[in-house]
Amino acid sequence: QVQLVESGGGLVQAGGSLRLSCAASGRTISSDAIVWFRQAPGKEREFVAAVGWTGGNTVCADSVKGRFTISRRNAANTVYLQMNSLKPEDTALYYCAARFGGSARYYSPNEVAFWGQGTQVTVSS
């Protein structure tokens, strides 16, 4: 069983940056795809970005492409989401999730088994 803990969220002005971390414990996540999702109030959980187990490939949702970057540091058992040029519509609870052996592709929430508790990102205009 793997436990995931997100951190790095907070309140930031539009145009600002945040770096989210997803730290894993219980086992290594070096063989997992790690996926970031977000959920705004009253909306469904949506895919943000994914990094494959090799770390060499990543994919981002169109809404964040060019602004967000996902990366992983297997030695630290941690995945990061660098978020630049933040917009008010990026405001949401951000979750990381793991899928063993997964590749860098779009994921729906029901395709991943392990979830963190989420970290809140609020972007003010």
Side-chain angles (χ1 to χ4, degrees), residues 36-123:
W36 285 96
F37 293 88
R38 67 186 182 186
Q39 188 166 19
K43 295 189 176 182
E44 293 186 351
R45 195 167 297 188
E46 65 174 358
F47 171 85
V48 175
V51 58
W53 69 274
T54 65
N57 294 315
T58 65
V59 63
C60 290
D62 288 344
S63 59
V64 306
K65 201 170 292 183
R67 300 188 297 121
F68 291 12
T69 303
I70 186 171
S71 61
R72 67 190 303 154
R73 186 166 171 240
N74 285 341
N77 223 26
T78 300
V79 172
Y80 306 97
L81 185 68
Q82 178 67 43
M83 306 187 298
N84 299 328
S85 302
L86 282 161
K87 304 175 181 180
E89 51 263 43
D90 294 319
T91 294
L93 190 58
Y94 282 72
Y95 299 90
C96 66
R99 178 185 170 101
F100 183 77
S103 59
R105 62 171 176 86
Y106 168 85
Y107 286 90
S108 60
N110 61 8
E111 292 185 279
V112 291
F114 304 101
W115 292 85
Q117 82 292 345
T119 186
Q120 178 67 39
V121 171
T122 303
V123 184

Side-chain angles (χ1 to χ4, degrees), residues 3-22:
Q3 292 80 43
L4 303 173
V5 178
E6 303 93 336
S7 62
L11 173 64
V12 63
Q13 288 189 331
S17 298
L18 285 173
R19 188 177 81 155
L20 305 184
S21 298
C22 173

